[in-house]
Amino acid sequence: MNLVHNDYMPRLTSALADRYRIERELGQGGMATVYLAHDLRHDRDVAIKVLRSDIAESLGRDRFLREIRLAARLNHPHILPLYDSGEADGFLFFVMPVMRGQTLRDRLEQDGQLPVDDAVRYTIEIADALDYAHRHDVVHRDIKPENILLHEGHAVVADFGIGKAVAAASSQTAAFTQVGVMIGTPAYMSPEQAAGEDVDGRSDLFALGCVCHELLTGEAAFTGDTVQAVIAKRFYYAPPSVTDLRHVVPLSVSQAVTSMLEKSPAHRPAIGAQVVAALRSTDSVVSAPPPSSEKSLAVLPFTNVSADPDNEYFADGLTEELITDLAQVRALRVTSRTSSMQMKGTTKGMRAIGRELGVRYALEGSVRKAGNSLRITAQLIDTYDDSRIWADKYTGTVDDVFDLQERVSRAIVDALHVTLSSEEDVMLTDRPIANVRAFELYLQARQELRRYKLERGNALLNQAIALEGEVPALRALRGLALVSQVRAGMNQDMRPLDQAEAEARSLIASNPRAAYGHAILGIVGYERGDLRQAVTSLSAALELDPNDADVHFYLGISLMGAGRAQEAAALSRRITAIDPLSSQAGMLSAAATWFLGRPAEGLASMEHSLTLDPESLIHRWTLGYHYALLGRYGDAAQQAEFMSQRAPLMPYTLQLRALVAGAEGRKDEALKLLANVNTDVLDGHTRFHIAESLALGGNVERALQLMQDAVMSSFYPHAFIAHYNPFLDSLRGTPEFERIADIAERRMQEFGSGTAISPAMAQ
């Protein structure tokens, strides 16, 4: 049966002509036909699903569209977003991104049973998506390999909310609607769904158990000669454990699958997060996807083989430039500098590096600089089998370094059989910073500024500008340095934000297609307390440069300030995909657990993030605060002491020291530490934390005043304030505190009603 008959095509095309141009049919399913179309408003290709005409005629249309709108609110990296939905000339439709690549069904048909690590990782990602959706009252009802897409090595669940929308809009609640359409797929349907009973998230987890069983064994958990036989089998038959069918599967994985396949919902995991925790505890899970056939690449730190150790930054600069060049080639997925530089000096083999960074290929090399002479050697390795794909040597002078680097980049592109577009060809030639020494200074300055070592960072930046001039890359870093002065609380007024905004707007005006001006504007918005502006500008930056881990991080803390910790946690996973060894990813995901009332779950991630950047003061503060939330004040004090030795007057340092003193009953000491902090120049986040320390020190009036300032500025996560924060216990129940908590709740609602977040976040 044609789901939308050919003679309907002219009517469908006409009905959607003001928004979409229908290109061709992509396929048909049990309930809908999928078309490739072009979104005229946003100039992008999309997939449009049009419900079968007899289904559309039988449904309560308003309720169907209302349920679809609920599903469209889901925002998670492992959920395919819904862009649009509606009714046009009798057609019910919904619109999604076009995803290039395989489905899990394609992968199963190609490979049979999957490697254990792949199967476990995909199951974790799907369970995480389900956990998020179920907390937003959306049950999928049709989890199966065909509905799970593989995008850049990760699982993305499609058709969220569609089954619920059809069931809700139909006059029946059984597995079959009144027009004879089965909601769910027999091989993956839970017993309660097959029986036509009401279902909740545990039904999806049963289906996920079926999927995981098939991924690990290559065989469906429930089979039969007819649909009825397949459905009936789940009521009396328990499939053998996956370990019995495949001995290399760890027992812990097998037990997790068995628990999801329990016949009674009460005996299954209650939530997806329990599945995630169970599977993450197994030794089989790796931190990043294993090497695959995609063109994924890590540029490992080039070794300085010069006699002068001061040439180290020269080698690092070459590494950075190669990463920047190759990351501009859309056919390549290039690991960010942060993760690549974690491999500096490593003795790990190429296969281990490939697994840890989740890449198929690695570029390694060395630099020898003697006076003005320069020699570069490089080789491209396939990490899957440790074989050499390409190698070469280049000689010249220091003044030739960028030309030599371009030759290496083009050789890599050729070795991987990539065809450059005309735009990419030009970008490989472009040099944001032409002077070699200026580029080295830029790298050093950026590292120092990220660690809040502002004096040294600014000095290095000024040296770079003196050599190179006012080029956009250096101006952008100067804008971030200005913001950092305020963010660190080291300035006595807010004028640096005005200067940073002026720099950002000038950069946008001169080059609106570059991301850095939008990024600075977003960070300025955060510091000023305009979280909507922050999210809008940071999202715009990600649209232009989806691989900027720093922008993802600032977007994450902006969302946490607005009480949207789940979205922030999702961003941390996106950072990990871009930058597998990023310290920011662990810090962001761990901090999100504060706002969800589960800090114990995030401690390991927070501790690990510090090992990746032990000199970072903000990492030290974050770990110290995390320890304090857990009542480990001695450990918190150790982090405060580290900060005190390096930045004794930094507000974060004083806040953490005062927090520990107040919690341990040394109230006078706590208040004395904070006496000279100028809170007028602090952002809302820092004011809130100062308020916590004041509350523990006994200055309730000042604590409430600062808390209100924070809530009215850029920090209003209601649940954290009203329920989870242990440092505010002495204030809870007072009329003033409850009034401030109510303001926080209203501000969260206002933010959510008016803020659209970039699709780049969910990809």
Side-chain angles (χ1 to χ4, degrees):
M1 177 193 298
N2 280 335
L3 303 182
V4 177
H5 296 287
N6 290 334
D7 57 340
Y8 288 175
M9 278 297 294
R11 187 160 63 90
L12 174 65
T13 301
S14 175
L16 297 177
D18 61 327
R19 284 178 283 176
Y20 303 101
R21 183 177 67 247
I22 305 294
E23 304 283 2
R24 59 184 170 86
E25 181 181 314
L26 292 176
Q28 297 185 7
M31 292 188 291
T33 300
V34 187
Y35 294 91
L36 175 67
H38 192 74
D39 183 341
L40 300 175
R41 179 182 301 173
H42 300 100
D43 191 26
R44 62 186 176 186
D45 288 338
V46 295
I48 299 181
K49 277 199 172 185
V50 182
L51 278 193
R52 206 171 84 189
S53 56
D54 52 346
I55 296 178
E57 290 167 3
S58 71
L59 296 180
R61 294 167 183 262
D62 290 343
R63 188 169 183 188
F64 175 87
L65 294 173
R66 185 167 63 250
E67 294 291 344
I68 287 290
R69 282 195 294 272
L70 288 175
R73 296 178 184 175
L74 298 179
N75 183 3
H76 189 277
H78 299 300
I79 294 177
L80 186 68
L82 283 176
Y83 285 161
D84 190 14
S85 63
E87 179 181 7
D89 196 13
F91 297 106
L92 291 177
F93 69 93
F94 37 94
V95 183
M96 303 162 294
V98 176
M99 301 292 279
R100 313 293 183 187
Q102 296 180 306
T103 64
L104 261 186
R105 174 59 66 207
D106 296 330
R107 178 79 188 276
L108 280 166
E109 289 177 353
Q110 172 184 305
D111 298 337
Q113 58 184 219
L114 271 58
V116 175
D117 286 342
D118 278 5
V120 172
R121 179 164 49 80
Y122 292 150
T123 305
I124 286 173
E125 291 172 344
I126 299 163
D128 195 48
L130 292 173
D131 184 75
Y132 172 84
H134 296 161
R135 284 187 279 104
H136 288 77
D137 298 319
V138 177
V139 179
H140 192 286
R141 296 172 183 259
D142 198 16
I143 292 293
K144 58 184 178 182
E146 290 83 351
N147 279 339
I148 299 161
L149 310 174
L150 298 180
H151 180 63
E152 295 188 351
H154 295 277
V156 179
V157 185
D159 282 0
F160 250 107
I162 310 307
K164 182 184 179 186
V166 172
S170 174
S171 63
Q172 298 184 14
T173 59
F176 287 82
T177 71
Q178 60 184 341
V179 292
V181 174
M182 177 175 287
I183 302 172
T185 301
Y188 308 93
M189 195 180 292
S190 69
E192 63 269 27
Q193 186 175 358
E197 300 170 357
D198 290 336
V199 299
D200 58 23
R202 293 170 295 180
S203 180
D204 282 347
L205 295 181
F206 182 95
L208 178 58
C210 294
V211 170
C212 188
H213 183 284
E214 191 169 355
L215 297 181
L216 289 165
T217 67
E219 301 175 5
F222 301 97
T223 59
D225 295 331
T226 65
V227 169
Q228 290 76 13
V230 173
I231 291 176
K233 201 167 185 178
R234 71 208 59 242
F235 291 100
Y236 65 85
Y237 169 80
S241 74
V242 292
T243 298
D244 289 342
L245 296 174
R246 187 180 179 191
H247 299 313
V248 298
V249 176
L251 182 60
S252 57
V253 173
S254 181
Q255 291 171 336
V257 175
T258 299
S259 69
M260 287 188 278
L261 293 178
E262 288 286 351
K263 294 178 178 59
S264 169
H267 296 154
R268 292 178 215 144
I271 55 176
Q274 293 176 341
V275 176
V276 172
L279 291 176
R280 279 183 175 160
S281 67
T282 176
D283 292 335
S284 74
V285 182
V286 294
S287 60
S292 69
S293 59
E294 70 168 338
K295 293 181 172 65
S296 52
L297 172 70
V299 181
L300 303 180
F302 273 52
T303 304
N304 172 37
V305 293
S306 308
D308 186 352
D310 289 341
N311 289 328
E312 192 76 20
Y313 266 103
F314 189 90
D316 290 348
L318 177 62
T319 306
E320 172 93 7
E321 275 293 279
L322 286 167
I323 291 171
T324 301
D325 269 5
L326 293 168
Q328 297 178 100
V329 180
R330 283 184 286 273
L332 299 178
R333 178 173 67 81
V334 181
T335 298
S336 76
R337 175 186 181 276
T338 307
S339 286
S340 290
M341 294 306 288
Q342 292 290 334
M343 294 296 158
K344 193 166 188 175
T346 184
T347 58
K348 296 177 182 176
M350 279 296 172
R351 294 185 182 184
I353 290 172
R355 286 194 300 271
E356 190 164 350
L357 296 180
V359 295
R360 178 66 184 267
Y361 303 101
L363 176 66
E364 65 173 359
S366 64
V367 180
R368 181 180 296 276
K369 180 173 173 283
N372 200 42
S373 298
L374 184 66
R375 187 179 73 182
I376 297 171
T377 64
Q379 60 178 351
L380 182 66
I381 305 297
D382 186 334
T383 67
Y384 187 74
D385 57 10
D386 209 9
S387 62
R388 187 165 68 178
I389 305 295
W390 162 91
D392 210 340
K393 297 178 181 179
Y394 303 86
T395 59
T397 68
V398 171
D399 294 335
D400 300 325
V401 63
F402 291 129
D403 292 331
L404 298 178
Q405 161 240 308
E406 182 183 339
R407 289 169 61 188
V408 174
S409 295
R410 292 185 183 277
I412 299 306
V413 168
D414 290 342
L416 294 178
H417 306 292
V418 171
T419 301
L420 296 174
S421 67
S422 58
E423 181 184 10
E424 290 169 338
D425 190 70
V426 170
M427 286 191 295
L428 282 186
T429 308
D430 183 44
R431 296 286 161 257
I433 300 175
N435 183 283
V436 176
R437 177 56 182 159
F439 186 71
E440 294 176 3
L441 291 165
Y442 163 79
L443 295 178
Q444 295 177 60
R446 187 176 64 176
Q447 182 77 338
E448 297 301 299
L449 292 171
R450 281 176 171 171
R451 292 172 171 171
Y452 288 83
K453 297 181 178 180
L454 303 182
E455 185 175 351
R456 175 164 168 74
N458 280 310
L460 292 166
L461 176 58
N462 289 334
Q463 291 178 50
I465 292 173
L467 289 172
E468 180 73 14
E470 298 277 335
V471 297
L474 294 176
R475 291 173 58 197
L477 188 59
R478 183 170 60 196
L480 290 174
L482 289 165
V483 176
S484 296
Q485 290 179 29
V486 175
R487 181 158 174 71
M490 303 300 285
N491 214 67
Q492 294 308 305
D493 58 53
M494 306 295 277
R495 282 181 297 177
L497 294 183
D498 297 332
Q499 295 171 285
E501 180 182 358
E503 192 79 83
R505 295 196 181 280
S506 176
L507 288 166
I508 292 170
S510 61
N511 191 352
R513 299 302 301 166
Y516 33 62
H518 298 283
I520 297 167
L521 202 59
I523 299 170
V524 168
Y526 173 82
E527 293 301 324
R528 285 180 171 157
D530 189 347
L531 295 186
R532 286 189 182 180
Q533 174 63 51
V535 169
T536 299
S537 294
L538 292 167
S539 295
L542 287 181
E543 292 286 352
L544 297 167
D545 183 4
N547 292 322
D548 192 321
D550 289 339
V551 174
H552 277 87
F553 176 77
Y554 275 102
L555 184 54
I557 62 174
S558 297
L559 290 168
M560 282 198 292
R564 294 171 70 163
Q566 291 290 351
E567 287 89 338
L571 277 172
S572 74
R573 291 187 287 273
R574 175 62 182 156
I575 296 173
T576 300
I578 298 166
D579 196 352
L581 300 182
S582 167
S583 61
Q584 291 179 323
M587 184 166 64
L588 189 62
S589 66
T593 65
W594 307 347
F595 300 90
L596 299 172
R598 306 195 299 264
E601 295 178 11
L603 181 60
S605 178
M606 188 69 80
E607 290 176 329
H608 180 64
S609 73
L610 183 63
T611 67
L612 297 172
D613 192 1
E615 292 299 313
S616 170
L617 295 179
I618 198 65
H619 280 62
R620 292 282 179 176
W621 177 85
T622 309
L623 178 58
Y625 184 81
H626 203 124
Y627 282 139
L629 282 173
L630 298 172
R632 293 172 55 174
Y633 298 114
D635 292 327
Q638 289 182 13
Q639 302 305 319
E641 178 60 25
F642 181 97
M643 296 176 68
S644 187
Q645 290 177 5
R646 289 158 177 79
L649 298 180
M650 187 178 183
Y652 279 109
T653 303
L654 296 170
Q655 185 275 338
L656 185 57
R657 291 181 62 196
L659 190 76
V660 172
E664 293 182 339
R666 293 175 280 116
K667 296 187 175 185
D668 290 344
E669 180 183 342
L671 297 180
K672 184 177 180 180
L673 284 165
L674 300 173
N676 296 319
V677 175
N678 180 6
T679 57
D680 292 338
V681 298
L682 302 178
D683 61 29
H685 171 269
T686 314
R687 290 188 191 189
F688 177 84
H689 291 304
I690 295 287
E692 294 171 320
S693 300
L694 288 168
L696 290 176
N699 191 340
V700 172
E701 182 179 356
R702 180 62 176 152
L704 289 169
Q705 178 188 348
L706 274 186
M707 190 181 306
Q708 176 169 302
D709 290 347
V711 166
M712 295 305 297
S713 176
S714 61
F715 195 81
Y716 38 88
H718 173 259
F720 181 63
I721 295 171
H723 306 295
Y724 301 142
N725 190 313
F727 311 130
L728 304 179
D729 288 346
S730 63
L731 306 180
R732 287 194 180 90
T734 65
E736 185 65 8
F737 178 87
E738 298 304 325
R739 184 185 67 81
I740 294 170
D742 288 343
I743 295 173
E745 186 172 24
R746 288 198 300 272
R747 294 217 66 196
M748 271 184 58
Q749 293 169 349
E750 291 165 0
F751 176 92
S753 65
T755 303
I757 301 172
S758 162
M761 286 178 53
Q763 293 174 356

